[in-house]
Amino acid sequence: MMASSSLPSFPCLSYFKMPIAALTNSPRTTIPYNLKKGQTRLLHKLPSGLKMEVIEQRKSKSERENPPLVFVHGSYHAAWCWAENWLPFFSSSGFDSYAVSLLGQGESDEPLGTVAGTLQTHASDIADFIESNLGSSPPVLVGHSFGGLIVQYYLANIVNKRSLGTENAFPELSGAVMVCSVPPSGNSGLVLRYLFSKPVAAFKVTLSLAAKGFQKSIPLCRETFFSQAMDDQLVKRYQDLMSESSRIPLFDLRKLNASLPVPKPMENSTKVLVLGAKDDFIVDDEGLKETGRFYEVEPVCIKGVAHDMMLDCSWEKGAKVLLSWLCDLSKPGSLSA
């Protein structure tokens, strides 16, 4: 597993003092994702000089002002995983939607080193995009799997900065959503529970993710990320995209787990939704409940979908639950101050 050794008490303080990163000569994705109608690919320049891919899809006409949505992927994915279904769905529902590819993933630049970054650097990159492009419109930040852990870190930084009484390095959010997210303590607990209660499943998860077995086996790829009803051809399409998406790992998982849990938010002013999937092969029910307890919200577990909720053959189920929550959030007086 992968991240920085130990997080300082107020990691956001170093946000504007990050060293300039260097770009390797590694090629970007060799199978670029073909954008859908209405989508645009941007390359956002970060303070480091590196460029981060962003796929945007602006809303159709809407009578009310909705917060923009910013989507963050997990391991072996990139912005395309949101562009496939959820960006068209939410833009047509009245929300400007943006999906980022973290460094070293998708069409984003690759930093020097063996991993793409840490919780701090990934969250800082997202914060820079939000501050530079969304201005006075606090977005809802949506993270999937390890992207959900990055969202949790982002939330902790907002609170820490606010509690210091100084200007936020991480811009405010209208809401935060964790989708099949790694819990605040990391995935060590998930692994241990699998080892003791589901040793066969533990072996498969290790083979699929750590050994990248999902790249070579359609049945294993389906079992890891999707519902059993998923068509072979569609699994193969996503298998190819995932195989090409991640040129270097998102984190050093050993260092990441040593730095966890993420800091506990000092305040609960940001509305949080915790979404899980009943058929999730990676994040178990206890992992989902842990995230809910951490944010003092009741998690919503959706039946008939697997870990890749936004790509699964029943992707509409999760999208509709999130849309309902967003509509409540957008009612006058509902958005956090």
Side-chain angles (χ1 to χ4, degrees):
M1 317 262 181
M2 319 183 189
S4 65
S5 52
S6 68
L7 302 177
S9 299
F10 299 105
C12 56
L13 296 179
S14 62
Y15 172 62
F16 289 114
K17 299 178 182 178
M18 292 173 60
I20 299 298
L23 175 65
T24 69
N25 293 321
S26 299
R28 291 176 179 159
T29 308
T30 56
I31 305 178
Y33 178 77
N34 293 320
L35 301 181
K36 294 180 176 295
K37 182 179 180 180
Q39 295 178 350
T40 304
R41 177 178 283 111
L42 311 173
L43 290 175
H44 172 69
K45 189 173 182 180
L46 297 166
S48 63
L50 300 180
K51 294 184 177 66
M52 181 172 71
E53 178 190 26
V54 181
I55 298 177
E56 72 167 1
Q57 189 160 2
R58 296 298 184 92
K59 64 186 176 185
S60 305
K61 289 184 179 180
S62 177
E63 294 181 357
R64 64 182 182 186
E65 285 299 318
N66 294 321
L69 310 180
V70 177
F71 296 91
V72 185
H73 64 84
S75 296
Y76 302 118
H77 292 65
W80 63 264
C81 73
W82 304 105
E84 187 75 354
N85 300 310
W86 280 26
L87 258 60
F89 177 86
F90 287 105
S91 62
S92 67
S93 300
F95 295 83
D96 286 337
S97 301
Y98 306 85
V100 303
S101 290
L102 301 168
L103 290 181
Q105 324 298 309
E107 297 296 307
S108 292
D109 285 342
E110 181 179 332
L112 287 176
T114 57
V115 296
T118 66
L119 284 178
Q120 178 187 355
T121 62
H122 288 314
S124 296
D125 291 343
I126 294 165
D128 183 75
F129 167 73
I130 291 173
E131 184 172 43
S132 300
N133 296 275
L134 304 185
S136 60
S137 302
V140 173
L141 193 56
V142 183
H144 174 253
S145 197
F146 268 113
L149 196 61
I150 295 170
V151 172
Q152 294 172 45
Y153 183 89
Y154 188 111
L155 283 176
N157 274 269
I158 292 175
V159 172
N160 284 340
K161 197 68 175 173
R162 185 191 299 121
S163 66
L164 289 176
T166 54
E167 184 180 355
N168 285 333
F170 284 16
E172 294 280 354
L173 300 176
S174 291
V177 182
M178 289 71 163
V179 180
C180 298
S181 176
V182 173
S185 63
N187 63 351
S188 296
L190 302 174
V191 173
L192 287 174
R193 285 193 294 274
Y194 270 99
L195 283 173
F196 286 106
S197 63
K198 302 176 181 178
V200 174
F203 172 76
K204 285 185 177 181
V205 168
T206 302
L207 175 64
S208 182
L209 299 178
K212 302 182 181 180
F214 77 88
Q215 297 180 353
K216 304 175 182 66
S217 167
I218 286 181
L220 187 57
C221 185
R222 179 190 289 108
E223 188 171 10
T224 305
F225 298 106
F226 309 113
S227 297
Q228 288 303 308
M230 185 78 115
D231 178 75
D232 276 3
Q233 189 172 1
L234 195 54
V235 174
K236 174 64 171 144
R237 166 175 157 75
Y238 295 149
Q239 180 188 49
D240 289 343
L241 284 166
M242 285 189 284
S243 297
E244 293 291 335
S245 288
S246 183
R247 303 188 300 286
I248 54 176
L250 280 182
F251 304 105
D252 178 321
L253 291 174
R254 179 184 57 80
K255 292 180 179 179
L256 172 61
N257 282 325
S259 74
L260 296 173
V262 293
K264 179 75 173 178
M266 302 294 291
E267 302 173 19
N268 292 319
S269 60
T270 303
K271 302 291 180 64
V272 172
L273 173 65
V274 177
L275 271 182
K278 186 68 175 177
D279 299 328
D280 196 328
F281 191 65
I282 297 173
V283 179
D284 63 5
D285 187 58
E286 179 53 36
L288 177 64
K289 289 178 179 177
E290 178 192 330
T291 306
R293 288 193 300 268
F294 193 78
Y295 291 101
E296 300 178 3
V297 297
E298 187 65 30
V300 179
C301 190
I302 301 174
K303 295 181 180 179
V305 289
H307 185 69
D308 272 18
M309 185 185 298
M310 63 288 189
L311 291 171
D312 211 7
C313 45
S314 297
W315 62 264
E316 300 99 330
K317 292 183 177 181
K320 288 177 180 178
V321 171
L322 175 53
L323 178 61
S324 177
W325 183 82
L326 288 169
C327 289
D328 287 340
L329 189 71
S330 299
K331 291 177 181 177
S334 296
L335 295 180
S336 55

